[in-house]
């Protein structure tokens, strides 16, 4: 991971958030009147210097447990170390999207951004209380009101959905529902063209910074075993829930889980679908591939039984920290699908007496840290992979061979 000086990119804010950064007020007073570009330059320079000189400003701040909220703290730390999302909040770019939408319900995004800013700019080393943020997520998703332990992956889905809705660039959605898209006349198009058109249709309704980062596209192929007709459907995904492969060993690899998720399934008996060509129900083969890889790939290991919440699989899933190559699962060749891990939400114990923590790679220093509610401690990358790994956060490596990056 490059140093902050090498890789820190700037999105020019509409107004440098002096209230969020008290040191900026003093600098503005000292320099007097400045041009807009000079002001932004000064703001960014001071931000970088503060991040270098203050441990707490580097995002190494714990979160207070408000009563069985370790699930929330774990996910918040993972998102805080998602560099593009962090910068979106630090630069106040979210304000532009909120203002453009002229929405009244913007409290969740605003409190989330305030929390991220506090975690990265606080001059105190004490843990931060996410109480105001918690109030807003409870209003958006009342299921999180009670003080019982919750599922981190479910919380992540609700949170990302809420943030997206408040900064969605689409203010007026086209008429019709998403279900109508499956019936558009794409028979004359190749699958690649169909996938692009379906993605464009999706963006006509759902388009935000959250979508830019977290949403990919799955391709589902259904092949009739009688006539060979193949139909394809393209769906957006925010994360992938991977079944844990069962082997004769105590350890499986993440690639084993991916292969199990994408393996061909035979639909027979009551599951037989209608073949469009035969016009009767036929035995069909169903298979998933990934049509569009997201910038941030969230992989959820299905450790808990869907039917009963008391069972948990503690199988050790060996997942790589760097160079996760998923090209074999791509719908089309020559797709960039190599990822690097930067955060893990861990669950230890059982469903009735469990605890969540997070392992995160600091986007400034590239070093790994353990976040256990209010406690933050350094760790080595060799200890990141454990049997407690539950939700994995991977970032797409956009470097091309030779260290080049794709043209913008």
């Amino acid at each position: 991971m490059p140093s902050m000086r090498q890789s820190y990119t700037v999105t020019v804010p509409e107004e440098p958030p002096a209230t969020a950064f008290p040191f900026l007020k003093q600098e503005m007073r000292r320099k007097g009147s400045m041009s807009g570009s000079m002001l932004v330059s000064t703001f960014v320079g001071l931000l970088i210097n503060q991040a270098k000189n203050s441990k707490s400003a580097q995002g190494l701040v714990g979160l207070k447990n408000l009563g069985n909220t370790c699930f929330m703290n774990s996910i918040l730390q993972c998102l805080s170390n998602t560099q593009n999302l962090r910068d979106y909040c630090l630069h106040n770019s979210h304000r532009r999207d909120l203002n453009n939408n002229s929405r009244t319900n913007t409290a969740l995004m605003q409190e989330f951004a305030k929390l991220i800013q506090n975690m990265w700019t606080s001059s105190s080393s004490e843990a931060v209380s996410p109480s105001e943020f918690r109030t807003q997520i409870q209003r958006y998703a009342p299921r999180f009101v009670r003080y019982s332990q919750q599922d981190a992956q479910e919380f992540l889905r609700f949170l990302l959905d809420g943030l997206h809705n408040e900064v969605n660039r689409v203010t007026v959605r086209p008429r019709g529902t998403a279900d109508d898209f499956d019936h558009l006349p794409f028979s004359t198009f190749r699958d690649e063209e169909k996938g692009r058109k379906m993605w464009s249709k999706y963006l006509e309704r759902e388009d935000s910074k959250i979508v830019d980062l977290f949403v990919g596209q799955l391709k589902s192929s259904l092949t009739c075993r009688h006539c060979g007709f193949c139909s394809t459907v393209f769906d957006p995904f925010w994360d992938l829930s991977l079944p844990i492969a069962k082997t004769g060993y105590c350890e499986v690899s993440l690639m084993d889980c991916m292969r199990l998720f994408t393996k061909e399934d035979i639909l027979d008996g009551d599951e037989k679908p209608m073949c469009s060509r035969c016009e009767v129900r036929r035995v069909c083969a169903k298979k998933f591939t990934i049509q569009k890889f997201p910038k941030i790939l969230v992989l959820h290991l299905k450790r808990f039984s869907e039917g009963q919440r008391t069972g948990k699989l503690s199988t050790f899933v060996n997942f790589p920290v760097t160079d996760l190559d998923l090209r074999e699962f791509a719908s089309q060749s020559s797709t960039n699908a190599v990822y690097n891990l930067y955060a893990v939400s861990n669950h230890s114990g059982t469903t009735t007496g469990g605890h969540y923590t997070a392992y995160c790679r600091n986007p400034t220093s590239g070093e790994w840290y353990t976040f256990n509610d209010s406690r933050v401690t350094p760790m080595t990358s060799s200890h990141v992979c454990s049997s407690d790994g539950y939700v994995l956060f991977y970032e797409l490596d956009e470097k091309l061979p030779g260290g080049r990056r794709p043209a913008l």
Side-chain angles (χ1 to χ4, degrees), residues 244 301-305 311-315 317 386-387 389-390:
I244 297 179
L301 300 178
K302 298 174 69 173
R303 294 195 176 277
F304 301 103
S305 304
K312 178 188 174 183
L313 291 174
S314 297
T315 306
V317 178
S386 74
S387 57
Y390 182 49

Side-chain angles (χ1 to χ4, degrees), residues 324-353:
L324 173 64
D325 192 343
L326 300 179
R327 284 177 291 183
E328 71 173 86
F329 308 107
S331 304
Q332 46 198 337
S333 58
S334 69
T335 298
N336 180 23
V338 179
Y339 285 85
N340 296 314
L341 186 76
Y342 72 90
V344 181
S345 176
N346 303 293
H347 182 274
S348 59
T350 65
T351 55
T352 56

Side-chain angles (χ1 to χ4, degrees), residues 33 45 52 80 84 108 113 166 173 182-183 197 238 259 278 281 315-316 331 335 344-345 348 353-354 367 385 387 401:
S33 60
K52 288 179 180 178
S80 172
N84 286 332
L108 180 60
E166 294 189 2
R173 288 186 171 96
D182 292 340
H183 308 293
K197 289 183 178 294
W238 291 73
R259 292 185 183 110
C278 298
R281 295 188 178 276
T315 306
F316 183 87
S331 304
T335 298
V344 181
S345 176
S348 59
E367 301 297 326
C385 185
S387 57

